[in-house]
């Protein structure tokens, strides 16, 4: 902790003699000798902005154009907060999702961690004891308002460090015009999905089912299919990775033989097809079916594509567990501004602010209060199917520090499972080995 931070903390507690703090804790009573007090006052000063605290926040960009970039959202929010909290400034830097995790990692490695980071993963930092625990920061009402499975996913060894910031689920999108032309109804099982894809192929549809297993977001498409086959990345009962389970191997055998092998996934090999390209193809009217999240709705609407959305088909019926995704807010301990960080985060997670962000970027709110509003509001009717899926969703195993290595290896290898000559059992076994090694290194 630097001298400036010591001064701020001591001054902040002036007169704070035993009051109960914002989290129900008793404030620390700063006891100094007369000589020590003189030194503090002389070293810090009482004028000239010495009470100012600047919180540095690094955040990801959710915008799809300059007009709705996240920098604008955060600048507006910071300005509103600063107007109510003189003496606290919020310095926000926004990076693209391609860069933000690496930027924060480099800052931490250089000993210059931000006060707050809104990025994709928190577990590595928590494991190194770099983060505040959530109950050291947030007021109890704000903590209680988080959607339960999102809050649970923010835990490492039973302690919450990751604060959910944004979430989404996946549904099967289908092109209504192409389906009507082929006389089809939305599938509820894999067999029906394959039959619909055959009919779409016969009608000349470029991508009957778009299967993006390219490196951009292969871990998401993979997880959705694993869940639909009754498996997943982990065994929820044992709490261990189960990537090469019998169920998972059967799922990718089916994909390889009954979908990809029959030419039902389009002209680009799944291992080379990225999610963004698949979404663009759907918005261009070239895709019959694919898994998608809320932002795809507006991409398709802007291009005039009529679409429907249904739960992901499963081996025997609609998938009972959908895939959920959450992005995370975390607070680093290095600068020691716990009280100011906590007060700012309480503001960030105010119901109206959560609603504003969720509606701006077509994402699901992470709080129950905002979710209730969106579920009932007519203006959010298009998000209701996704909101209904969220309580039934399963998230990546983000609380494991091993997940980053496993996810990276999935992106690198999983496309090979469905390639000509590929072996789902062998590749899933290799991924399991990666997971086992990463777990043992924790």
């Amino acid at each position: 902790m630097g001298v400036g931070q010591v001064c701020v903390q001591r001054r902040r507690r002036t007169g704070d003699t035993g009051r109960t703090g914002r989290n129900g804790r008793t404030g620390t009573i700063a006891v100094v000798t007369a000589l020590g007090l003189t030194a503090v006052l002389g070293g810090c000063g009482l004028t000239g902005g010495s009470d100012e605290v600047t919180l540095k926040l690094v955040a990801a960009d959710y915008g799809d154009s300059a007009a709705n970039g996240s920098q604008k959202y955060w600048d507006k929010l910071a300005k509103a907060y600063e107007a109510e909290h003189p003496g606290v400034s919020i310095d926000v830097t926004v990076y693209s999702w391609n860069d933000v995790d690496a930027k924060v990692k480099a800052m931490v490695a250089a000993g210059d961690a931000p006060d707050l980071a809104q990025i994709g993963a928190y577990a590595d930092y928590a494991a190194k004891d770099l983060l505040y625990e959530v109950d050291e920061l947030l007021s109890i009402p704000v903590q209680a308002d988080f959607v339960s499975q999102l809050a649970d996913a923010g835990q490492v060894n039973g302690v919450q460090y990751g604060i959910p910031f944004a979430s989404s689920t996946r549904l099967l999108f289908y092109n209504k015009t192409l389906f009507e032309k082929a006389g089809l109804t939305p599938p509820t099982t894999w067999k029906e999905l394959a039959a619909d894809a055959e009919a779409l192929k016969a009608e000349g549809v470029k991508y009957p089912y778009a299967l993006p297993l390219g490196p951009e977001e292969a871990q998401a498409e993979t997880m959705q299919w694993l869940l639909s086959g009754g498996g997943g990345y982990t065994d929820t009962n044992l709490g261990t990775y189960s990537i090469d389970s019998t169920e998972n191997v059967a799922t990718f055998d089916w994909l390889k033989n009954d979908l990809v092998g029959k030419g039902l996934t389009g002209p680009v090999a799944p291992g080379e097809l990225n999610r963004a390209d698949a979404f663009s193809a759907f918005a261009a009217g070239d895709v019959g079916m694919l898994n998608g999240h809320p932002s795809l709705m507006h991409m398709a609407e802007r291009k005039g594509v009529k679409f429907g959305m249904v739960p992901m088909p499963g081996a025997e019926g609609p998938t009972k567990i959908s895939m959920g995704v959450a992005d995370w807010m975390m607070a680093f301990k290095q600068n020691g501004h716990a009280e100011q960080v906590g007060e700012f985060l309480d503001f960030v997670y105010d119901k109206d602010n959560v609603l504003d962000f969720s509606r701006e970027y077509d994402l699901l709110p992470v709080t129950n209060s905002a979710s209730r509003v969106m579920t009932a509001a007519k203006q959010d009717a298009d998000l209701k199917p996704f909101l209904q899926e969220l309580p039934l969703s399963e998230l990546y195993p983000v609380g494991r520090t091993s997940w980053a290595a496993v996810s990276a290896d999935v992106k690198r290898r999983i496309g090979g499972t469905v390639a000509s000559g590929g072996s789902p059992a062998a590749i899933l076994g290799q991924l399991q080995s990666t997971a086992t090694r990463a777990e043992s290194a924790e």
Side-chain angles (χ1 to χ4, degrees):
M1 182 181 297
V3 174
Q5 286 127 25
V6 173
C7 296
V8 168
Q9 288 192 352
R10 289 178 178 172
R11 188 172 297 109
R12 187 182 68 220
R13 298 190 184 281
T14 300
D16 186 14
T17 53
R19 67 174 175 81
T20 299
R22 60 197 304 280
N23 290 322
R25 296 186 178 83
T26 301
T28 303
I29 303 174
V31 180
V32 293
T33 65
L35 179 62
L37 178 60
T38 301
V40 169
L41 297 181
C44 300
L46 293 176
T47 59
S50 61
D51 286 338
E52 291 285 337
V53 172
T54 297
L55 300 181
K56 186 169 185 177
L57 165 63
V58 176
D61 193 355
Y62 289 85
D64 57 12
S65 68
N68 72 340
S70 292
Q71 188 73 53
K72 291 186 176 181
Y73 170 82
W74 282 112
D75 287 348
K76 179 181 177 182
L77 194 72
K79 184 177 180 179
Y81 184 79
E82 290 166 353
E84 296 179 9
H85 298 80
V88 179
S89 299
I90 311 297
D91 177 13
V92 185
T93 305
V94 173
Y95 295 103
S96 76
W97 272 110
N98 292 331
D99 301 323
V100 68
D101 289 283
K103 291 286 187 182
V104 172
K105 184 177 181 179
M107 292 171 70
V108 172
D112 186 29
D115 295 284
L116 291 155
Q118 187 272 297
I119 52 178
Y122 65 86
D124 282 353
Y125 300 121
K128 296 174 183 176
D129 195 29
L130 299 177
L131 303 180
Y132 283 111
E133 296 177 18
V134 170
D135 65 4
E136 294 178 291
L137 301 170
L138 297 176
S139 63
I140 291 173
V142 171
Q143 291 185 59
D145 196 27
F146 288 117
V147 175
S148 60
Q149 77 265 38
L150 299 179
D152 290 346
Q155 296 181 0
V156 176
N157 297 324
V159 178
Q160 187 179 354
Y161 298 93
I163 309 170
F165 182 73
S167 67
S168 69
T169 54
R170 300 290 195 269
L171 291 171
L172 183 76
F173 282 67
Y174 65 95
N175 184 309
K176 283 188 173 182
T177 302
L178 298 178
F179 264 61
E180 290 170 3
K181 183 179 178 182
L184 303 175
T185 57
T188 60
T189 66
W190 290 356
K191 184 177 180 180
E192 291 175 0
L193 185 149
D196 286 351
E198 287 275 12
L200 292 166
K201 180 182 179 182
E203 291 287 336
V205 175
K206 189 174 182 180
Y207 293 90
Y209 178 87
L211 182 65
L213 295 178
E216 178 192 3
E217 204 183 32
Q219 82 284 1
E221 185 74 11
T222 296
M223 183 170 177
Q224 186 62 75
W225 277 100
L226 296 182
L227 292 172
S228 73
Y233 284 121
T234 60
D235 184 315
T236 54
N237 294 321
L238 298 176
T240 57
Y241 282 103
S242 56
I243 299 173
D244 61 349
S245 68
T246 300
E247 295 85 356
N248 291 346
V249 172
T251 294
F252 272 88
D253 279 338
W254 185 87
L255 282 171
K256 181 178 187 295
N257 298 323
D258 292 70
L259 209 62
V260 180
K262 294 182 178 179
L264 303 178
T265 55
V268 179
E272 298 174 7
L273 181 65
N274 282 324
R275 177 196 55 81
D277 296 328
F279 277 21
S280 294
F282 186 84
D286 292 332
V287 175
M289 299 172 280
L290 83 169
N291 282 314
H293 52 65
S295 67
L296 181 57
M297 295 187 299
H298 299 289
M299 287 182 65
E301 287 169 352
R302 286 196 295 268
K303 296 289 188 177
V305 173
K306 296 180 180 179
F307 61 88
M309 301 177 297
V310 294
M312 176 68 181
E316 304 296 335
T319 302
K320 295 180 181 179
I321 301 176
S322 176
M323 185 192 73
V325 176
D327 300 324
W328 302 96
M329 179 74 77
M330 63 212 69
F332 288 89
K333 295 193 291 187
Q334 179 179 322
N335 298 323
H337 296 145
E339 185 167 329
Q340 291 92 341
V341 167
E343 290 173 351
F344 175 61
L345 287 177
D346 276 0
F347 181 79
V348 169
Y349 287 99
D350 174 80
K351 180 184 67 179
D352 290 338
N353 290 332
V354 173
L355 284 169
D356 286 347
F357 180 85
S358 301
R359 285 167 170 163
E360 177 67 30
Y361 299 108
D362 298 317
L363 292 164
L364 305 184
V366 297
T367 61
N368 291 308
S369 57
S371 294
R372 287 191 292 269
V373 172
M374 292 187 78
T375 298
K378 289 183 179 180
Q379 74 181 90
D380 303 309
D382 54 355
L383 286 173
K384 192 171 182 178
F386 295 95
L387 286 163
Q388 292 171 334
E389 288 290 308
L390 186 58
L392 307 174
S393 65
E394 180 175 319
L395 280 71
Y396 300 132
V398 290
R400 298 171 180 265
T401 57
S402 55
W403 172 241
V406 174
S407 176
D409 208 30
V410 169
K411 293 178 182 181
R412 186 167 67 91
R413 296 181 188 270
I414 200 67
T417 58
V418 296
S420 178
S423 169
I427 292 175
L428 292 177
Q430 292 167 354
L431 292 170
Q432 180 66 31
S433 295
T434 295
T436 301
R437 288 194 300 272
E439 285 276 274
S440 64
E442 288 187 359

